[in-house]
Amino acid sequence: MGAENLSREKVDPSVRLVGMVAGSLALWFVSLVIATLVLNQEPHNRWLRAAMVLLAVLGFAAWMWSSFVAIRAQDEFTQRLHLIAMAAAFALTGLAAFTVDFMQRAGFVDDVPTGALWMVMVLTWWLSMFVTHRIYR
Amino acid sequence: MKNRLRVLRAEQNWSQAELGMRVGVSRQAINAIETGKYDPSLPLAMKVARLFGKTVEEVFSLEDGE
């Protein structure tokens, strides 16, 4: 027990947080790949399909949760940067969804899968974080 | 909002990272405060002021028109 505590203290908390986020991101990616591969085969078993949905959602939720914990552990300035980046990502995703919606109605694009929405949100969040850090630092 | 953080820090011969460590924030946060890009919360402003043995008003002040 004592040795375990000692080895825990040696790890920089920020390194541990980065490791946790990276690990959960890898977990999400693996769960996404597995669920996509299985569902693409269109299995007849309803429980298997439900399990794949659960797997993908849990993978995503694990990454979201670890990101939340990591942000909570930052100082107030870094939390402010995250808040600005998330607000920008929310607005950009809304704008993208709205634009695609009307382009579909006008017949310029075919149906866009709903999966594109969360991908746009994640990408705009990362992009917003990069831009916000560049502006404030 | 303007502040005397850079001057006070220089008087103590502290780096931004050292000051940040003493008040529990990152070097980037201290830099953002010093350059006026970020206004600290009241608890952080009070921590900084207390660290230098000053009142909050002696470290931070409103600019004309604010």
Side-chain angles (χ1 to χ4, degrees):
Chain A
M1 188 70 180
E4 189 183 325
N5 284 340
L6 192 64
S7 63
R8 240 181 230 168
E9 283 167 10
K10 281 180 184 173
V11 181
D12 186 331
S14 60
V15 172
R16 199 163 57 222
L17 282 173
V18 169
M20 186 179 69
V21 173
S24 66
L25 191 59
L27 189 72
W28 172 42
F29 181 74
V30 170
S31 70
L32 184 67
V33 169
I34 292 171
T36 303
L37 287 175
V38 173
L39 291 176
N40 279 350
Q41 292 175 352
E42 300 180 0
H44 291 295
N45 190 324
R46 188 183 177 84
W47 290 107
L48 178 60
R49 283 184 278 136
M52 289 304 105
V53 171
L54 191 63
L55 177 69
V57 170
L58 285 178
F60 191 87
W63 174 52
M64 283 286 110
W65 178 79
S66 70
S67 298
F68 173 75
V69 170
I71 291 169
R72 285 265 301 170
Q74 304 302 310
D75 63 36
E76 61 178 52
F77 172 66
T78 310
Q79 286 182 355
R80 172 74 67 88
L81 296 188
H82 277 285
L83 185 65
I84 293 168
M86 276 188 235
F90 180 81
L92 286 172
T93 306
L95 182 67
F98 188 82
T99 304
V100 169
D101 178 26
F102 271 83
M103 286 180 77
Q104 279 179 344
R105 292 186 199 196
F108 291 122
V109 293
D110 293 329
D111 283 348
V112 177
T114 51
L117 191 63
W118 63 256
M119 285 185 202
V120 168
M121 187 156 235
V122 169
L123 288 175
T124 51
W125 178 32
W126 286 344
L127 180 67
S128 303
M129 273 304 294
F130 176 75
V131 173
T132 310
H133 275 76
R134 295 280 296 181
I135 291 171
Y136 280 87
R137 291 184 174 180
Chain B
M1 196 162 74
K2 57 187 176 181
N3 65 76
R4 297 180 55 229
L5 207 54
R6 193 183 293 274
V7 175
L8 293 169
R9 181 172 61 78
E11 284 174 3
Q12 300 294 326
N13 204 23
W14 290 339
S15 66
Q16 289 181 337
E18 193 172 352
L19 174 57
M21 196 178 63
R22 286 171 186 268
V23 292
V25 297
S26 60
R27 182 196 64 77
Q28 288 84 357
I30 298 299
N31 183 57
I33 294 169
E34 284 187 357
T35 54
K37 290 179 179 175
Y38 175 67
D39 292 333
S41 67
L42 189 54
L44 178 56
M46 292 177 83
K47 267 189 200 176
V48 170
R50 190 168 61 187
L51 183 67
F52 289 117
K54 310 270 184 196
T55 63
V56 172
E57 290 87 348
E58 286 173 312
V59 182
F60 301 95
S61 56
L62 292 173
E63 291 189 79
D64 294 338
E66 275 189 320

Coordinates of all heavy atoms in Angstrom, one line a residue, chain B residues 4-64:
Chain B
R4 N -0.1 45.8 -11.6 CA 1.3 46.0 -11.4 C 2.0 44.7 -11.1 O 3.1 44.7 -10.5 CB 1.5 46.9 -10.1 CG 0.8 48.3 -10.3 CD 1.0 49.1 -9.0 NE 2.4 49.2 -8.6 CZ 2.9 49.0 -7.4 NH1 2.1 48.6 -6.4 NH2 4.2 49.1 -7.1
L5 N 1.4 43.7 -11.7 CA 2.0 42.3 -11.4 C 3.4 42.2 -11.9 O 4.3 41.6 -11.1 CB 1.1 41.3 -12.1 CG 1.0 39.9 -11.5 CD1 0.7 40.0 -10.0 CD2 0.1 39.0 -12.2
R6 N 3.7 42.6 -13.1 CA 5.0 42.5 -13.6 C 6.1 43.2 -12.8 O 7.2 42.6 -12.5 CB 5.1 43.0 -15.1 CG 6.3 42.6 -15.8 CD 6.4 43.2 -17.2 NE 5.3 42.7 -18.1 CZ 5.4 41.6 -18.8 NH1 6.5 40.9 -18.8 NH2 4.4 41.2 -19.6
V7 N 5.7 44.4 -12.3 CA 6.7 45.2 -11.5 C 6.9 44.5 -10.1 O 8.0 44.3 -9.7 CB 6.1 46.6 -11.3 CG1 7.0 47.4 -10.3 CG2 6.0 47.3 -12.6
L8 N 5.8 44.1 -9.5 CA 5.9 43.4 -8.2 C 6.7 42.1 -8.3 O 7.5 41.8 -7.4 CB 4.5 43.2 -7.6 CG 3.7 44.5 -7.3 CD1 2.2 44.1 -7.0 CD2 4.3 45.2 -6.1
R9 N 6.4 41.4 -9.4 CA 7.1 40.1 -9.6 C 8.6 40.4 -9.8 O 9.5 39.6 -9.2 CB 6.5 39.4 -10.8 CG 7.1 38.1 -11.1 CD 6.4 37.3 -12.1 NE 6.3 38.1 -13.4 CZ 7.3 38.1 -14.3 NH1 8.5 37.5 -14.0 NH2 7.3 38.8 -15.4
A10 N 8.9 41.4 -10.5 CA 10.4 41.7 -10.8 C 11.1 42.1 -9.5 O 12.3 41.8 -9.3 CB 10.4 42.8 -11.8
E11 N 10.4 42.8 -8.6 CA 10.9 43.2 -7.3 C 11.3 42.0 -6.5 O 12.3 42.1 -5.8 CB 9.9 44.1 -6.6 CG 9.8 45.5 -7.1 CD 8.7 46.3 -6.4 OE1 8.1 45.8 -5.5 OE2 8.5 47.5 -6.8
Q12 N 10.6 41.0 -6.6 CA 10.9 39.8 -5.9 C 11.8 38.8 -6.6 O 12.2 37.8 -6.1 CB 9.6 39.0 -5.6 CG 8.5 39.8 -4.8 CD 9.0 40.0 -3.4 OE1 9.7 39.2 -2.8 NE2 8.6 41.2 -2.8
N13 N 12.1 39.2 -7.9 CA 13.0 38.4 -8.7 C 12.4 37.0 -9.0 O 13.1 36.0 -9.0 CB 14.4 38.3 -8.1 CG 15.4 38.0 -9.2 OD1 15.2 38.3 -10.4 ND2 16.5 37.5 -8.8
W14 N 11.1 37.0 -9.2 CA 10.4 35.7 -9.4 C 10.1 35.6 -10.9 O 9.8 36.6 -11.6 CB 9.1 35.6 -8.7 CG 9.2 35.5 -7.2 CD1 10.3 35.0 -6.5 CD2 8.2 35.8 -6.2 NE1 10.0 35.0 -5.2 CE2 8.7 35.5 -5.0 CE3 6.9 36.3 -6.3 CZ2 8.0 35.7 -3.8 CZ3 6.2 36.5 -5.1 CH2 6.7 36.2 -3.9
S15 N 10.1 34.4 -11.4 CA 9.7 34.2 -12.8 C 8.2 34.0 -12.8 O 7.6 33.9 -11.8 CB 10.3 32.9 -13.3 OG 9.8 31.8 -12.6
Q16 N 7.6 34.1 -14.0 CA 6.2 33.9 -14.1 C 5.8 32.5 -13.6 O 4.7 32.4 -12.9 CB 5.7 34.0 -15.6 CG 5.8 35.4 -16.1 CD 5.3 35.6 -17.5 OE1 5.3 34.6 -18.3 NE2 4.9 36.8 -17.9
A17 N 6.6 31.5 -13.9 CA 6.3 30.2 -13.4 C 6.3 30.1 -11.9 O 5.5 29.4 -11.3 CB 7.3 29.2 -14.0
E18 N 7.3 30.7 -11.3 CA 7.4 30.7 -9.9 C 6.2 31.4 -9.2 O 5.7 30.9 -8.2 CB 8.7 31.4 -9.4 CG 9.1 31.1 -8.0 CD 10.5 31.6 -7.6 OE1 11.2 32.0 -8.5 OE2 10.8 31.6 -6.4
L19 N 5.8 32.5 -9.7 CA 4.7 33.2 -9.2 C 3.4 32.3 -9.3 O 2.6 32.2 -8.4 CB 4.5 34.6 -9.8 CG 3.2 35.3 -9.5 CD1 3.1 35.6 -8.0 CD2 3.1 36.7 -10.2
G20 N 3.3 31.8 -10.5 CA 2.2 30.9 -10.8 C 2.1 29.8 -9.8 O 1.0 29.4 -9.2
M21 N 3.2 29.2 -9.5 CA 3.3 28.0 -8.5 C 2.9 28.5 -7.1 O 2.1 27.8 -6.4 CB 4.7 27.5 -8.5 CG 4.8 26.1 -7.9 SD 6.5 25.5 -7.9 CE 7.4 26.7 -6.9
R22 N 3.3 29.7 -6.8 CA 2.9 30.2 -5.4 C 1.5 30.5 -5.2 O 0.9 30.5 -4.1 CB 3.8 31.5 -5.1 CG 5.2 31.2 -4.9 CD 6.0 32.5 -4.8 NE 7.4 32.2 -4.7 CZ 8.1 32.1 -3.5 NH1 7.5 32.3 -2.4 NH2 9.4 31.8 -3.5
V23 N 0.8 30.8 -6.3 CA -0.7 31.1 -6.2 C -1.5 30.0 -6.8 O -2.8 30.2 -6.9 CB -1.0 32.5 -6.8 CG1 -0.4 33.6 -6.0 CG2 -0.6 32.6 -8.3
G24 N -0.9 29.0 -7.3 CA -1.6 27.8 -7.8 C -2.2 27.9 -9.2 O -3.3 27.3 -9.5
V25 N -1.5 28.7 -10.1 CA -2.0 28.7 -11.5 C -0.8 28.5 -12.4 O 0.4 28.5 -11.9 CB -2.7 30.1 -11.8 CG1 -3.9 30.3 -11.0 CG2 -1.7 31.2 -11.7
S26 N -1.0 28.4 -13.7 CA 0.0 28.1 -14.6 C 0.8 29.4 -15.0 O 0.3 30.5 -14.8 CB -0.6 27.5 -15.9 OG -1.5 28.4 -16.5
R27 N 2.0 29.2 -15.6 CA 2.8 30.3 -16.1 C 2.0 31.1 -17.1 O 2.0 32.3 -17.1 CB 4.1 29.8 -16.7 CG 5.0 30.9 -17.2 CD 6.1 30.3 -18.1 NE 5.5 29.8 -19.4 CZ 5.1 30.5 -20.4 NH1 5.1 31.8 -20.3 NH2 4.6 29.9 -21.5
Q28 N 1.3 30.3 -17.9 CA 0.5 31.0 -19.0 C -0.6 31.9 -18.4 O -0.9 33.0 -19.0 CB -0.2 29.9 -19.9 CG 0.8 29.2 -20.8 CD 1.4 28.0 -20.1 OE1 1.3 27.8 -18.9 NE2 2.2 27.3 -20.8
A29 N -1.2 31.5 -17.3 CA -2.2 32.3 -16.6 C -1.6 33.6 -16.1 O -2.1 34.7 -16.3 CB -2.8 31.6 -15.4
I30 N -0.4 33.6 -15.5 CA 0.3 34.8 -15.1 C 0.7 35.7 -16.2 O 0.5 36.9 -16.2 CB 1.6 34.4 -14.3 CG1 1.3 33.6 -13.0 CG2 2.4 35.7 -13.9 CD1 0.4 34.3 -12.0
N31 N 1.1 35.1 -17.3 CA 1.5 35.9 -18.5 C 0.2 36.6 -19.1 O 0.3 37.7 -19.4 CB 2.1 34.9 -19.6 CG 2.5 35.7 -20.8 OD1 3.3 36.6 -20.7 ND2 2.0 35.3 -21.9
A32 N -0.9 35.8 -19.1 CA -2.1 36.4 -19.6 C -2.6 37.6 -18.8 O -3.2 38.6 -19.3 CB -3.2 35.3 -19.8
I33 N -2.4 37.4 -17.4 CA -2.8 38.5 -16.5 C -1.9 39.7 -16.7 O -2.4 40.9 -16.8 CB -2.8 38.0 -15.0 CG1 -3.8 36.9 -14.8 CG2 -3.0 39.2 -14.1 CD1 -3.7 36.2 -13.5
E34 N -0.6 39.5 -16.8 CA 0.3 40.6 -16.9 C 0.1 41.4 -18.2 O 0.3 42.6 -18.3 CB 1.8 40.0 -16.9 CG 2.2 39.7 -15.5 CD 3.7 39.3 -15.5 OE1 4.4 39.2 -16.5 OE2 4.2 39.0 -14.4
T35 N -0.2 40.6 -19.3 CA -0.4 41.3 -20.6 C -1.8 41.8 -20.8 O -2.1 42.4 -21.8 CB -0.1 40.3 -21.8 OG1 -0.9 39.1 -21.6 CG2 1.4 39.9 -21.8
G36 N -2.7 41.7 -19.8 CA -4.0 42.2 -19.8 C -5.0 41.4 -20.6 O -6.1 41.9 -20.9
K37 N -4.6 40.2 -21.0 CA -5.5 39.4 -21.8 C -6.6 38.7 -21.0 O -7.6 38.2 -21.4 CB -4.7 38.3 -22.6 CG -3.9 38.9 -23.7 CD -3.1 37.8 -24.4 CE -2.3 38.4 -25.6 NZ -1.5 37.3 -26.2
Y38 N -6.3 38.6 -19.7 CA -7.1 37.9 -18.8 C -7.2 38.6 -17.4 O -6.2 38.9 -16.9 CB -6.6 36.4 -18.6 CG -7.4 35.6 -17.6 CD1 -8.7 35.2 -17.8 CD2 -6.8 35.2 -16.4 CE1 -9.4 34.5 -16.9 CE2 -7.5 34.5 -15.4 CZ -8.8 34.1 -15.7 OH -9.5 33.4 -14.8
D39 N -8.5 38.8 -17.0 CA -8.7 39.4 -15.7 C -8.9 38.2 -14.7 O -9.8 37.4 -14.9 CB -9.9 40.3 -15.7 CG -9.7 41.5 -16.5 OD1 -8.5 41.9 -16.6 OD2 -10.6 42.1 -17.0
P40 N -8.1 38.2 -13.6 CA -8.3 37.0 -12.7 C -9.6 37.1 -11.9 O -10.2 38.2 -11.7 CB -7.1 37.2 -11.7 CG -6.8 38.6 -11.8 CD -7.1 39.1 -13.1
S41 N -10.0 35.9 -11.3 CA -11.1 35.9 -10.4 C -10.8 36.7 -9.2 O -9.6 36.9 -8.9 CB -11.5 34.5 -10.1 OG -10.5 33.9 -9.3
L42 N -11.8 37.0 -8.4 CA -11.5 37.7 -7.1 C -10.7 36.9 -6.1 O -9.7 37.4 -5.6 CB -12.9 38.1 -6.5 CG -12.8 39.1 -5.2 CD1 -12.0 40.3 -5.6 CD2 -14.1 39.4 -4.7
P43 N -10.9 35.6 -6.0 CA -10.1 34.8 -5.1 C -8.6 34.8 -5.5 O -7.7 34.9 -4.7 CB -10.7 33.4 -5.2 CG -12.1 33.6 -5.5 CD -12.1 34.8 -6.4
L44 N -8.4 34.7 -6.9 CA -7.0 34.7 -7.4 C -6.3 36.1 -7.2 O -5.2 36.2 -6.8 CB -7.0 34.3 -8.8 CG -5.6 34.3 -9.5 CD1 -4.6 33.4 -8.7 CD2 -5.7 33.8 -10.9
A45 N -7.1 37.1 -7.4 CA -6.6 38.5 -7.2 C -6.2 38.7 -5.8 O -5.2 39.3 -5.5 CB -7.6 39.5 -7.7
M46 N -7.0 38.2 -4.9 CA -6.7 38.3 -3.4 C -5.5 37.5 -3.0 O -4.7 38.0 -2.2 CB -8.0 37.9 -2.6 CG -9.1 38.9 -2.8 SD -10.6 38.4 -1.9 CE -10.3 39.0 -0.3
K47 N -5.4 36.3 -3.6 CA -4.2 35.5 -3.3 C -2.9 36.2 -3.8 O -1.9 36.2 -3.0 CB -4.3 34.2 -4.1 CG -4.9 33.0 -3.4 CD -4.7 31.8 -4.2 CE -5.7 30.7 -3.8 NZ -5.6 29.5 -4.7
V48 N -3.0 36.8 -5.0 CA -1.8 37.5 -5.5 C -1.5 38.7 -4.6 O -0.3 38.9 -4.3 CB -2.1 37.9 -7.0 CG1 -1.0 38.9 -7.5 CG2 -2.2 36.7 -7.9
A49 N -2.5 39.5 -4.3 CA -2.3 40.7 -3.5 C -1.7 40.3 -2.1 O -0.7 40.9 -1.6 CB -3.6 41.4 -3.3
R50 N -2.2 39.2 -1.5 CA -1.7 38.8 -0.2 C -0.3 38.3 -0.3 O 0.5 38.6 0.6 CB -2.7 37.7 0.3 CG -2.4 37.3 1.8 CD -3.5 36.5 2.4 NE -3.6 35.2 1.6 CZ -4.5 34.3 1.9 NH1 -5.5 34.5 2.7 NH2 -4.6 33.2 1.2
L51 N 0.0 37.7 -1.4 CA 1.4 37.2 -1.5 C 2.4 38.3 -1.5 O 3.5 38.2 -1.0 CB 1.5 36.4 -2.9 CG 2.8 35.7 -3.2 CD1 3.1 34.6 -2.2 CD2 2.8 35.2 -4.6
F52 N 2.0 39.4 -2.1 CA 2.9 40.6 -2.2 C 2.7 41.5 -1.0 O 3.4 42.6 -0.9 CB 2.7 41.4 -3.5 CG 3.2 40.7 -4.7 CD1 2.3 40.2 -5.7 CD2 4.5 40.4 -4.9 CE1 2.7 39.6 -6.9 CE2 4.9 39.7 -6.0 CZ 4.1 39.3 -7.0
G53 N 1.9 41.2 -0.1 CA 1.6 42.0 1.1 C 0.9 43.3 0.7 O 1.2 44.4 1.3
K54 N 0.1 43.3 -0.3 CA -0.7 44.5 -0.7 C -2.2 44.2 -0.7 O -2.6 43.1 -0.5 CB -0.3 44.8 -2.2 CG 1.2 44.9 -2.5 CD 1.7 46.2 -2.3 CE 3.2 46.3 -2.7 NZ 3.8 47.5 -2.1
T55 N -2.9 45.3 -0.9 CA -4.4 45.1 -1.0 C -4.6 44.8 -2.5 O -3.8 45.1 -3.4 CB -5.1 46.4 -0.6 OG1 -4.7 47.4 -1.5 CG2 -4.8 46.7 0.8
V56 N -5.8 44.4 -2.8 CA -6.2 44.1 -4.2 C -6.1 45.4 -5.1 O -5.6 45.3 -6.2 CB -7.6 43.5 -4.3 CG1 -8.0 43.4 -5.8 CG2 -7.6 42.1 -3.7
E57 N -6.5 46.5 -4.5 CA -6.5 47.7 -5.2 C -5.1 48.2 -5.5 O -4.9 49.0 -6.4 CB -7.3 48.8 -4.4 CG -8.8 48.6 -4.3 CD -9.2 47.7 -3.2 OE1 -8.3 47.1 -2.6 OE2 -10.4 47.7 -2.9
E58 N -4.2 47.8 -4.7 CA -2.8 48.2 -4.9 C -2.1 47.4 -6.0 O -1.1 47.8 -6.6 CB -1.9 48.1 -3.6 CG -2.2 49.1 -2.6 CD -1.5 48.8 -1.3 OE1 -1.6 47.7 -0.8 OE2 -0.9 49.8 -0.7
V59 N -2.7 46.3 -6.4 CA -2.2 45.5 -7.4 C -3.0 45.6 -8.7 O -2.4 45.8 -9.8 CB -2.1 44.0 -7.0 CG1 -1.5 43.1 -8.1 CG2 -1.4 43.8 -5.7
F60 N -4.3 45.6 -8.5 CA -5.2 45.7 -9.7 C -6.0 47.0 -9.6 O -6.5 47.4 -8.5 CB -6.2 44.5 -9.7 CG -5.5 43.2 -9.8 CD1 -5.2 42.5 -8.7 CD2 -5.1 42.7 -11.0 CE1 -4.6 41.2 -8.7 CE2 -4.4 41.4 -11.1 CZ -4.2 40.7 -9.9
S61 N -6.2 47.6 -10.8 CA -7.1 48.8 -10.8 C -7.8 48.9 -12.1 O -7.3 48.4 -13.1 CB -6.2 50.1 -10.5 OG -5.2 50.1 -11.5
L62 N -8.9 49.6 -12.1 CA -9.7 49.8 -13.3 C -9.1 50.9 -14.2 O -8.5 51.8 -13.6 CB -11.1 50.2 -13.0 CG -12.0 49.1 -12.3 CD1 -13.3 49.7 -11.9 CD2 -12.3 48.0 -13.3
E63 N -9.2 50.7 -15.5 CA -8.7 51.7 -16.4 C -9.7 52.8 -16.5 O -10.9 52.5 -16.2 CB -8.3 51.1 -17.7 CG -7.1 50.2 -17.6 CD -6.6 49.7 -18.9 OE1 -5.9 50.5 -19.6 OE2 -6.9 48.6 -19.3
D64 N -9.4 53.9 -17.0 CA -10.3 55.0 -17.3 C -11.4 54.5 -18.2 O -11.2 53.9 -19.2 CB -9.6 56.2 -17.9 CG -8.6 56.8 -16.9 OD1 -8.8 56.6 -15.7 OD2 -7.7 57.5 -17.4

